[in-house]
Amino acid sequence: MPEKNSLLDKEILNRVTDNELSCVTAFETAGKLKVPAKDIGEAADRLKIKIVKCQLGLFGYKPDKKIVKAKGPVSAELKAAISNSLEDGKLSCIKAWEIASKLKVERFFVSCACETLKVKIRECQLGAF
């Protein structure tokens, strides 16, 4: 698989700024190369490139690392969607994205609702957590 790795590596290195790759850029790269997001995360790890600016606000922001915060009441619809998607009391990153898409809200909004509800998000699609 050297060809795949070299293509991935080259594409990632072309998109890196200050040895960082944003979550958005990582997913754009995965889409362009038609590879799973996890492959981008693994390549970034191998290349010692830091993934930043999680679209859920969970990591990669300065100075506090995460920017997600509990915010106001959570609608019954959003609360039910989160509750119905929990596995072992936690919500996976991909489920958070699916909820956002289904309810036509920002991914960050779902993450803030999880903070309000004290629900942990797990399994970053890029493998960052």
Side-chain angles (χ1 to χ4, degrees), residues 15 22-34 40 55:
R15 293 171 174 249
S22 74
C23 177
V24 168
T25 302
F27 275 91
E28 288 171 354
T29 304
K32 178 180 178 184
L33 298 178
K34 295 179 176 53
I40 302 299
Q55 294 180 66

Side-chain angles (χ1 to χ4, degrees), residues 27-68:
F27 275 91
E28 288 171 354
T29 304
K32 178 180 178 184
L33 298 178
K34 295 179 176 53
V35 299
K38 187 177 180 186
D39 287 2
I40 302 299
E42 289 171 355
D45 280 348
R46 187 177 64 256
L47 295 167
K48 308 248 186 285
I49 294 168
K50 186 175 183 177
I51 296 175
V52 296
K53 296 186 181 171
C54 165
Q55 294 180 66
L56 296 174
L58 298 173
F59 66 88
Y61 292 87
K62 295 174 184 172
D64 298 327
K65 295 192 172 121
K66 76 177 198 169
I67 60 169
V68 67

